[in-house]
Amino acid sequence: MSSKVGASVAVHERDIARNAFASPEWRTAADALLQAAGVSVAVVDFATGESYSSVAMSCGACHVGSTNREAGLLGCFDSYPAPESSTGRMVCRSGLATLYKPVRRDGRIVAHVIIGGFVTSTRERRGLYEAMLTRSGNQDAARKAVKTLPVIARRQADAYLQMVLASAQTIFDATAERTAAAERIEELRLFVTAGHQVVSTERLDAGALAAIADEAVALIGGEAGAVLRPHGSSLEVVAVTEGWRGAVGALVPRTSTASGRAVETRRTVVAPGQGGSSTLAMPLVLSHRVLGVLEVRLPSSALPLPQDRVARLGRFGQFMAIAVEREDERAAVERAMAGYAQLNELATALGGRSDVNSVAELITSVIDKSFTFELAGLVLTGWGRDRADVVVRGTVAATGPDTVLGIVSGREAEHDPYEEMRFVTHQGALEEIDEPQDWSVAISELRYGDLDVGYLFLARSDGIHYGAQDHALLEGISAHASAAFGRSALFSRVRDEYAKTIAALSATLDYGERTVAGHAGRVMEYAMAVGASMGLGVEAVEHLRFAGLLHDVGKGGVPEEILLKPTCLTPEEFERAKAHVEIGAEIVDQIDFLKALTPIILHHHERWDGTGYPHGLKGEEIPLLARILCVADSFDAMTTQRSYAKKLTLKKARDEITRASGTQFDPRVVEALLGVLDRMAVAGGTGLLADVGYERPDLLA
């Protein structure tokens, strides 16, 4: 037996235990055993002596037991076994034997259930009577107390103990799963909020960065926080949350500080502070560079930090690092563009472009309007792109583009072709011409930092050479184009990293349903492919992207026993399962950046014939994106193994989708999906998740 000291259970798990064993479910289970067999039940942490159970463990023996009893379960025992103890027996202060067994979580002991209030034989009852009589001298009270104690054989008592443990384990696990689901949803909200701030904020000033830091402080249960950036041999405070002791602009030495150690080691540091609080310093690292440090002041109640919260904060820190890098890049782009005031109109137009394709279209359009040429355009070789966009004006020899591009980039297209080649010929044409053309070419490099990422070019074969003014204007356009391509690539990267994080979180929803890994990702890919093939715009396809990832977010609010049931659901169970669309819609509707997804998630189980749920919408009443998501979700469900249904072959799944066209599914959407599957099959192997042959401008970087 050991004294009630130490700590055997993490703070987070103690909170789960308190919630689990204060629940009505546990009270019902404990009361039932007390009423049926006269057995008292309690749940206790042997490390601290804390009673988790809301059910008081009491029995008749206590009426004549110790006269100096403490309140609650602490008064029943002089000491407890070691926290790591397994099944065993101990004696209460009144001399009554009790049995205990551990409740576990992932192999760790988190609490012990105790049963008592009975004797295992009449001989034990007689011995207890004599002991009570010796202590109190009150024969009537001792006899009355002992008579209230049931006689339960040891084997039966062991069975009761096992039954109590099973109930306790089930209730604890269910509470832990509900807690984890709530934390995942809260983490998702924080990530989406921060991601929206990163993507939508034009300038990440101290106020905007402090708002993001405030989310990080809330995520880890801190009191206040600050963001610091390297500044020579010091760290400069660039943003603070409410309650932080310090001001923006203050310099903090790197030596002998938690933030300084975090920068040097590139690892999160927790250091004790004054007044019982501690400081957490987490480096903001991106591409092996430390861009800054997040400092959080932690109250003693938040320690020790659970590892899962530290991991979530680390993922959140990636958002902050991206935000800081984006601000650095924005500042660099702003400085580069400041010297070209004469091109403000172009700069304004480029400011509204956020993807490589739209920037390229604008640049070629400006070149088309600003110069005299026969061939003009751009070559882009940076950020994983290898493309040439060529504007043709007039009649040009078919060999002209290869010749001019060879002069511009030094590449022979015949032996080293571009991955993408685009021609704009609304004012010209390429024809077979035998006469050789002597090209005059003006070239301006596209540069981003120290990198050469492509060229802008003009070419004419009329014998006139481009002058200094043409070269100067082309250089100005090139400078703006370089900055715009850099910004668009950065925005694409931010959106992609943001989507990857949400995808990782949505994978936890797949896990919660025990689905085949990647369900949400595959639904996303099918939905985006169908949307693109139907000619939807970039914004609509982007909505399908996130709706695919989050379409089952509401299943966190549906009991696991219903989600995993291998047989048909009862009508009551089906009604509870159907609620996941409304729960999911409510979750995303609370997040401004995702409000557009609300009707998609809410109605993705409606049917074309009006027999779906939750509102029984019919035909065109159902939002188009919800109809697309419905087909994508159903197809992936058919072609993956589930606990309640066998996986179909691709052919059978296609047949089933076709059969349900006009009843469950929109015929136009079915036709588009089958076309996508045909292209997938041509692209590779099984046809599942192969290249669909469409372009996603949000993933160009």
Side-chain angles (χ1 to χ4, degrees), residues 428-608:
L430 295 172
E431 297 183 2
E432 295 296 333
I433 299 176
D434 294 332
E435 297 180 8
Q437 291 177 295
D438 186 15
W439 294 99
S440 172
V441 181
I443 305 171
S444 179
E445 292 182 344
L446 294 172
R447 296 183 62 82
Y448 190 69
D450 296 327
L451 301 177
D452 294 330
V453 294
Y455 309 91
L456 298 185
F457 65 92
L458 310 168
R460 59 196 300 175
S461 62
D462 56 4
I464 300 174
H465 295 278
Y466 290 103
Q469 186 176 357
D470 292 321
H471 283 279
L473 181 56
L474 187 63
E475 290 286 346
I477 295 173
S478 178
H480 284 290
S482 298
F485 280 127
R487 184 175 62 251
S488 64
L490 179 62
F491 273 106
S492 296
R493 177 183 170 189
V494 169
R495 284 196 299 264
D496 198 26
E497 291 297 326
Y498 170 39
K500 287 177 182 177
T501 302
I502 292 184
L505 291 169
S506 73
T508 66
L509 301 174
D510 283 356
Y511 177 77
E513 196 186 351
R514 304 301 193 272
T515 61
V516 175
H519 168 67
R522 290 190 300 273
V523 171
M524 174 195 74
E525 292 285 352
Y526 290 132
M528 291 179 69
V530 170
S533 71
M534 293 179 70
L536 301 186
V538 172
E539 184 177 1
V541 175
E542 189 79 347
H543 288 164
L544 288 171
R545 181 186 193 187
F546 290 106
L549 289 173
L550 298 175
H551 71 284
D552 279 339
V553 68
K555 288 189 175 179
V558 179
E560 189 176 69
E561 59 267 21
I562 293 178
L563 294 176
L564 301 180
K565 187 174 181 180
T567 57
C568 292
L569 300 179
T570 66
E572 294 79 10
E573 290 171 336
F574 186 53
E575 287 301 316
R576 295 190 69 183
K578 290 194 299 184
H580 81 274
V581 296
E582 297 178 4
I583 296 172
E586 183 178 357
I587 289 171
V588 300
D589 194 60
Q590 296 175 30
I591 303 170
D592 289 341
F593 184 58
L594 297 180
K595 279 185 178 293
L597 307 185
T598 302
I600 309 174
I601 292 176
L602 179 64
H603 297 299
H604 79 276
H605 279 293
E606 304 282 6
R607 293 172 56 105
W608 183 253

Side-chain angles (χ1 to χ4, degrees), residues 402-411 439-441 443:
D402 288 348
T403 301
V404 170
L405 289 173
I407 297 171
V408 171
S409 64
R411 290 170 58 173
W439 294 99
S440 172
V441 181
I443 305 171

Side-chain angles (χ1 to χ4, degrees), residues 228 235 252-263 269 271 281 295:
L228 300 86
L235 294 169
V252 176
R254 289 199 185 193
T255 56
S256 69
T257 63
S259 289
R261 292 200 300 275
V263 171
V269 174
E295 266 198 26

Side-chain angles (χ1 to χ4, degrees), residues 136-150:
S136 67
N138 188 330
Q139 187 175 12
D140 290 340
R143 182 181 296 110
K144 181 179 179 181
V146 170
K147 287 183 66 175
T148 63
L149 299 175

